Amino acid sequence: MRWDNQRVEGSGEQSLFGVSGLIRSVRSPEFAGVTFHEVRARSVLNKVPAASGVPFRWTVNPYRGCSHACRYCFARNTHTYLDLDAGADFDSQVVVKVNAPDVLAAQLRRPGWAREHVAMGTNTDPYQRAEGKYRLMPGIITALARSGTPFSILTKGTVLTRDLPLLAAVSADVPVGLGVSIALLDRDLQRALEPGTPSPQARLELVRRARDAGLPCGVFVAPVLPGLTDSPAALDGLLAAVADAGATGATVIPLHLRPGAREWFGRWLAHEHPELVSRYRELYGRGSYVGAGYRRWLAATVTPLLRRHGLAPRSGGQERGVPGDDEADWPGGSVPEGEGARTGGEGGQLSLL
């Protein structure tokens, strides 16, 4: 690998205390400011606790941390388990499970594997920019398909375009669900909120290409941020673009702020939009989830827009589950009429396309 001369062992950089199997840490000029910690994982097939309430029991996450650097990312606090912080470290210290395809293939060959649905994109994005170099997903997809295991992928990463022919081929053998996350169309705001992600237009093009490849592909309009992306005009424009791209459905999810993300996003908001700080304190003063009044307002706003653009739930729309924000509870692929995201406290049902 051409990164061999970019190793950082012995450079004085602190090693990862919370992860085993570390092979090396590397940097590359292609990824300025990002360090990749290559590890050999013992297991990559993760069982979801029954108490979580999500409609799948298994996940695969080939990466930890994410160079998308979304200010609001709900997975930020998971980096603290590695003795790294939930802010800048989450964006710049990315753990790569370099043996993920081989380990997964071995796990799927075990006699006890029941070929249950496997969700990807539930924590960090499997198609973040590093995937263009490490190419872990083709082996993961092939292992799942050869074992007869249905799977789904949620991403903001246009690197997925590379694997559309493979996904189309394996969809003849196993159910495949795709979801693309697009929170807004405003390019300046997108750069500020999601500095490491492809543009909204590039993601809409990804939806078009997935549909042209014959694959179902829904869009997660997530998160909706109060005062920033939630005007009726902005939501109408985004849903119109989603429909024009050929999406098979849309799921709308309001922002929630877990510990880690809450502090990181709060600092950004105070610096960039201080006029909104008091409103966010009111909306999120009781915890991670926006208040019921806002959820009702958002539902009343979005439901007619979904219908207008042909994105309302269809019969059988839950057959192909795509992972999204795992604290949301908006089943059927959209905001329930007359309700908001019913979280049911600190845990809820995952939205489906």
Side-chain angles (χ1 to χ4, degrees), residues 61-79:
N61 291 293
Y63 301 95
R64 298 184 69 170
C66 186
S67 60
H68 285 340
C70 301
R71 309 287 183 183
Y72 51 73
C73 181
F74 63 85
R76 285 186 170 276
N77 209 47
T78 61
H79 236 44

Side-chain angles (χ1 to χ4, degrees), residues 155-222:
T155 185
K156 294 176 182 174
T158 53
V159 179
L160 173 63
T161 304
R162 179 199 67 199
D163 291 344
L164 287 176
L166 174 61
L167 288 163
V170 303
S171 68
D173 301 318
V174 296
V176 175
L178 296 182
V180 177
S181 179
I182 310 173
L184 71 165
L185 294 179
D186 185 306
R187 189 71 168 103
D188 290 336
L189 184 56
Q190 179 261 334
R191 288 190 183 102
L193 279 167
E194 310 166 345
T197 63
S199 71
Q201 290 300 326
R203 281 178 263 171
L204 288 167
E205 182 61 25
L206 172 60
V207 175
R208 290 189 185 93
R209 293 187 179 187
R211 297 296 291 129
D212 288 344
L215 293 161
C217 185
V219 168
F220 280 74
V221 178

Side-chain angles (χ1 to χ4, degrees), residues 197-266:
T197 63
S199 71
Q201 290 300 326
R203 281 178 263 171
L204 288 167
E205 182 61 25
L206 172 60
V207 175
R208 290 189 185 93
R209 293 187 179 187
R211 297 296 291 129
D212 288 344
L215 293 161
C217 185
V219 168
F220 280 74
V221 178
V224 175
L225 295 98
L228 292 171
T229 67
D230 64 346
S231 72
L235 291 168
D236 186 35
L238 177 53
L239 290 170
V242 167
D244 183 67
T248 50
T251 301
V252 182
I253 303 173
L255 173 71
H256 75 268
L257 293 170
R258 297 187 197 176
R262 186 183 186 94
E263 295 79 6
W264 191 246
F265 177 81

Side-chain angles (χ1 to χ4, degrees), residues 279-290:
R279 184 180 181 194
Y280 273 74
R281 284 175 179 161
E282 179 182 355
L283 291 173
Y284 293 92
R286 295 187 176 183
S288 299
Y289 305 98
V290 69

Side-chain angles (χ1 to χ4, degrees), residues 26 36 82 90 100 113 139 185 191 246 259 317 352:
V26 296
F36 296 97
L82 305 177
F90 182 85
W113 175 241
L185 294 179
R191 288 190 183 102
L352 299 179

